[in-house]
Amino acid sequence: MSQSPHLSLVDAITDNANADTSTTNVNDNVRASIGKVVCVGRNYAEHARELGNEVPKSPILFMKPASSVVSVRHDIVRPNPEIYGDTHYEAELCIQLSADLSAATAEQAKQAIGGVTLGLDLTLRDLQSKLKEKGHPWERAKCFDGACVLADWLKPEAFGDFSQVHYQLTINDELAQDGDSAMMLFSVYELLAEISHAFSLQAGDVIMTGTPSGVGILQANDKLKLTLGAHEWQVNVR
């Protein structure tokens, strides 16, 4: 039987069984199942500008279903370009919660972080543009199976107060995106608290905190490398 590419926290812990557990395995109280993925749009000013969008004054939020989540340990399979057009990549710092949050303070948000990793928010950009032009919702462009690629979860203690978390995406050995939480318009704790005032967050939920500039098109046979501190993940594109 072939292994499902869809990711749970159990997968991450199993995959990391032989790794240095002081930095890789997440806290035991993080719920294995992902309820929802909350994404933050335009949290880096340069990314907003590169797409010709206004820089927001408050976080722009949208969601992906749990069914869109796959592990970075499986090849990225793009929807058929002849039907759906180009698939764009957006590398992001991702947070998983270990506790519920509702109308939370920044301190409560801090205590609720259970895991940290990198992810790719994949977007059918041509389809998204057409839907936006018509004033339609664009879930079809953001929520397809495989649209949320997540790496292995790491312990949050390794990242301090999340004010200077550096990460990179390279494609075919060339730097594509160079991100740092210091460049975020809204900080990690601020985001979590703000989201919890808009709607409740539950243990297991994932928050994709926004992408820096440098987004672009995925091509067949691209070789991607995500780097977060001393941790690296590689994945191929089909």
Side-chain angles (χ1 to χ4, degrees), residues 102-155:
S102 181
T105 64
E107 179 60 30
Q108 289 171 327
K110 174 182 177 180
Q111 298 302 322
I113 296 176
V116 182
T117 195
L118 293 184
L120 294 169
D121 170 8
L122 301 186
T123 305
L124 298 173
R125 192 72 73 197
D126 298 332
L127 178 57
Q128 183 190 36
S129 297
K130 291 177 182 178
L131 292 168
K132 289 171 72 174
E133 286 173 3
K134 295 179 180 179
H136 294 171
W138 27 270
E139 279 84 354
R140 287 179 180 270
K142 286 278 193 180
C143 297
F144 56 91
D145 290 359
C148 178
V149 183
L150 294 180
D152 302 325
W153 293 105
L154 310 174
K155 287 186 176 181

Side-chain angles (χ1 to χ4, degrees), residues 54-129:
E54 293 183 1
V55 176
K57 295 182 180 179
S58 60
I60 296 174
L61 306 177
F62 62 94
M63 293 192 201
K64 291 176 182 278
S67 58
S68 71
V69 177
V70 293
S71 170
V72 76
R73 294 177 178 268
H74 300 269
D75 287 353
I76 293 172
V77 181
R78 301 168 303 150
N80 189 336
E82 294 182 2
I83 299 174
Y84 298 101
D86 293 331
T87 299
H88 277 219
Y89 60 81
E90 302 179 10
E92 309 198 16
L93 181 68
C94 300
I95 304 294
Q96 189 174 46
L97 299 183
S98 60
D100 295 353
L101 286 178
S102 181
T105 64
E107 179 60 30
Q108 289 171 327
K110 174 182 177 180
Q111 298 302 322
I113 296 176
V116 182
T117 195
L118 293 184
L120 294 169
D121 170 8
L122 301 186
T123 305
L124 298 173
R125 192 72 73 197
D126 298 332
L127 178 57
Q128 183 190 36
S129 297

